[in-house]
């Protein structure tokens, strides 16, 4: 059930990414938010914090966190987690990479920590998820 909820959440995030892509031209999404979302998606393995994202877009941590949450409806770290887990799920389903390699690609130094987070996010261990999607 958690997996279904997360798939629905990712479906909801996709329009955000589309709106973020055209943020500068439409003026609907502040450039700081669109830039931070693009940075997260482009550099999933980077050790992001709210402070580091804020620094990248030239804002204070608290102002950035407030703006991001107001615009997106979720915290930056929640969005990052969802992007990481979505990518991990894609890799588990479509590649032969080891769980350790996938964990590293999506920003986890420990495959055990990654497995715990992935299970909480999807309702399945990475191995169970891979089996159910092969």
């Amino acid at each position: 059930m958690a997996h279904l909820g997360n798939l629905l959440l990712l479906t909801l995030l996709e329009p955000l990414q589309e709106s973020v892509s055209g943020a500068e031209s439409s003026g609907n999404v502040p450039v700081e938010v669109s830039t931070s979302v693009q940075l997260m998606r482009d550099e999933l393995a980077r050790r992001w914090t709210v402070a580091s994202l804020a620094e990248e877009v030239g804002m204070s941590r608290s102002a950035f966190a407030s703006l991001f949450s107001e615009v997106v409806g979720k915290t930056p770290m929640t969005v990052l987690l969802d992007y990481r887990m979505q990518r991990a799920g894609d890799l588990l389903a479509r590649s032969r990479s080891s769980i350790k390699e996938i964990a590293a690609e999506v920003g986890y130094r420990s495959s055990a920590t990654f497995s715990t987070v992935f299970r909480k996010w999807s309702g399945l261990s990475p191995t169970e998820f891979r089996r159910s999607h092969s």
Side-chain angles (χ1 to χ4, degrees), residues 36 55 57:
S36 65
E55 184 176 336
V57 299

Side-chain angles (χ1 to χ4, degrees), residues 1-16 41 74 78 81-94 118-124 129 132-133:
M1 191 61 155
H3 178 65
L4 179 59
N6 287 323
L7 288 176
L8 291 172
L9 175 61
L10 291 172
T11 301
L12 295 173
L13 287 175
E14 198 56 38
L16 168 66
R41 285 184 64 119
K74 299 184 183 329
T78 299
L81 174 71
D82 289 331
Y83 284 145
R84 284 177 167 168
M85 294 301 104
Q86 178 185 27
R87 177 69 179 143
D90 288 345
L91 290 169
L92 287 165
R94 295 186 171 111
F118 190 85
R119 179 186 286 281
K120 184 176 179 182
W121 182 81
S122 72
L124 299 171
F129 185 91
S132 71
H133 288 83

Side-chain angles (χ1 to χ4, degrees), residues 44-47 84 102-109:
L44 287 176
R46 187 166 166 181
R47 296 190 70 187
R84 284 177 167 168
I102 292 170
E105 185 168 330
V106 299
Y108 289 86
R109 292 182 177 185

Side-chain angles (χ1 to χ4, degrees), residues 58-122:
M59 294 181 73
S60 73
R61 187 202 60 75
S62 60
F64 171 73
S66 293
L67 176 66
F68 191 98
S69 295
E70 181 181 319
V71 170
V72 177
K74 299 184 183 329
T75 67
M77 295 299 96
T78 299
V79 170
L80 177 61
L81 174 71
D82 289 331
Y83 284 145
R84 284 177 167 168
M85 294 301 104
Q86 178 185 27
R87 177 69 179 143
D90 288 345
L91 290 169
L92 287 165
R94 295 186 171 111
S95 80
R96 293 181 184 252
S97 298
S98 71
I99 291 172
K100 183 177 181 178
E101 291 167 332
I102 292 170
E105 185 168 330
V106 299
Y108 289 86
R109 292 182 177 185
S110 160
S111 57
T113 300
F114 164 73
S115 294
T116 299
V117 172
F118 190 85
R119 179 186 286 281
K120 184 176 179 182
W121 182 81
S122 72

